[in-house]
Amino acid sequence: MSRVRWPLLVIGIVGAIIVAVAVILVVRMGRGTPVPLPVAIDDIPPGTALDPQLFRLTEVRDPDPAFLEAVVTADEFVQYMGLPVLETVHAGSPVFKAQVATEAPNEWQHRVSLLVSDPDHVVFPIPVSPDQVGNYIVAGDYVDVIFTLGRVAAQEMSHEYVVPEEVGVRETGQVTPTGKVGAQGIAPLWVGGAITETLHLPVAKVILPDVRVLRVEREVVQTAGFSYGTGAKEETGVGARGVAPTGDVIRLYLEVDREQAEVLAFALNNGVLNLPAHARPIGTPTEGFTWDDFVDRFFQDRPAPWEEGK
């Protein structure tokens, strides 16, 4: 009886192995051939030129032929590199060919006005350098236009110290006439009166806050090849797409209304501009910074004359 069971057991084990291998093969064949597909690492705003550093590769098995025909595959990406997208490509999504300006990219680039959020707004091109705005700004960011006017012409700095009452009593034997207000005091206020405050140049001021960037124009640099990003973070906190851009930024296209365009034109032709970028509107007004503010800040950390030598 045992002689009959052992052959049957061996035959059963071999049969089970054959069935398992067959199931694995069927499942693997059913999953189809993997197709590498570039997908966005982060949201890509409209007007952004396609760059492999903005994407990571993912495998899609046995995709629908219609879907595969509609998207930009890894093999096709080089044909679309550098062309602008017409709408937002969301993180984790492939690029559909219909989202890319392929038929007339030069003509579309001239229609950047289609990106403005308000029909009463205009597109203002402004020449910039990496030192003014940096090389990592992208379409969809916001900038604060800081206008700086004048140069330092002073040969010396002076600062008026407010003498505390206790110091005045101890050092001079009398209380200062105006206490902590200062030697000059404050003129009385009356209805209809005016107070004139004189500030010395140079001065820096955010004259246009939260200006939306529609497009970033860079130098055209020919490259031999490309590689996709990974989404990994580096020590600098910059993602994979935070590598050096293909070319330096040379021009921004800003969305402003007509009055803001006048302010921007005035600033562009009469002073120096800096444009720090941020991802979302801030909306907080600023006081500006003048030569007088610099003098106050310079003396802020210096000891008062009666404190020297302590």
Side-chain angles (χ1 to χ4, degrees):
M1 186 173 180
S2 60
R3 294 178 181 179
V4 177
R5 289 180 178 177
W6 276 108
L8 291 177
L9 181 61
V10 171
I11 293 175
I13 293 174
V14 173
I17 294 175
I18 294 175
V19 171
V21 171
V23 169
I24 293 174
L25 291 177
V26 170
V27 171
R28 202 171 268 186
M29 292 176 61
R31 293 175 63 184
T33 304
V35 177
L37 203 63
V39 296
I41 298 174
D42 299 310
D43 286 351
I44 302 176
T48 304
L50 287 181
D51 186 326
Q53 292 297 329
L54 303 178
F55 296 84
R56 59 179 174 82
L57 286 179
T58 185
E59 289 187 350
V60 178
R61 291 187 176 273
D62 196 23
D64 183 79
F67 168 79
L68 200 60
E69 181 65 26
V71 300
V72 178
T73 63
D75 295 335
E76 299 172 327
F77 193 91
V78 67
Q79 306 172 27
Y80 294 84
M81 191 167 62
L83 298 178
V85 293
L86 299 170
E87 57 187 52
T88 300
V89 179
H90 295 286
S93 172
V95 181
F96 286 84
K97 296 173 181 176
Q99 294 177 299
V100 187
T102 56
E103 297 182 358
N106 293 331
E107 178 181 349
W108 183 87
Q109 290 176 10
H110 297 158
R111 295 302 306 277
V112 69
S113 57
L114 297 177
L115 299 177
V116 297
S117 61
D118 190 309
D120 293 330
H121 288 184
V122 298
V123 179
F124 198 113
I126 174 173
V128 294
S129 69
D131 292 335
Q132 291 174 285
V133 71
N135 255 338
Y136 300 99
I137 188 170
V138 297
D141 282 344
Y142 293 82
V143 295
D144 293 334
V145 181
I146 300 179
F147 177 55
T148 302
L149 180 64
R151 293 181 177 274
V152 177
Q155 298 298 317
E156 60 182 22
M157 288 192 301
S158 62
H159 178 71
E160 181 181 275
Y161 287 93
V162 179
V163 182
E165 291 186 10
E166 61 274 14
V167 174
V169 172
R170 185 175 66 251
E171 298 292 337
T172 65
Q174 60 182 358
V175 178
T176 54
T178 54
K180 296 185 179 181
V181 176
Q184 300 299 322
I186 296 181
L189 303 179
W190 63 91
V191 176
I195 296 178
T196 300
E197 181 180 15
T198 301
L199 300 176
H200 298 90
L201 297 181
V203 59
K205 179 72 172 76
V206 176
I207 55 173
L208 292 177
D210 302 331
V211 179
R212 181 167 172 252
V213 178
L214 296 176
R215 188 170 178 80
V216 178
E217 185 177 345
R218 302 181 182 276
E219 291 178 328
V220 178
V221 179
Q222 298 296 331
T223 55
F226 65 93
S227 60
Y228 292 97
T230 62
K233 299 293 183 181
E234 301 177 357
E235 291 183 1
T236 57
V238 180
R241 70 172 183 173
V243 299
T246 303
D248 286 341
V249 58
I250 59 175
R251 190 170 289 103
L252 297 183
Y253 294 85
L254 306 179
E255 178 181 355
V256 295
D257 60 35
R258 299 177 72 186
E259 291 183 357
Q260 291 175 322
E262 294 173 342
V263 174
L264 188 54
F266 175 86
L268 185 62
N269 290 283
N270 290 281
V272 178
L273 299 184
N274 293 94
L275 299 95
H278 41 99
R280 299 174 184 83
I282 299 175
T284 305
T286 65
E287 295 183 2
F289 194 80
T290 71
W291 171 253
D292 303 276
D293 295 325
F294 171 76
V295 172
D296 290 341
R297 181 162 297 188
F298 179 84
F299 283 97
Q300 178 178 331
D301 298 324
R302 295 177 64 85
W306 56 84
E307 296 176 334
E308 293 179 357
K310 287 185 178 181

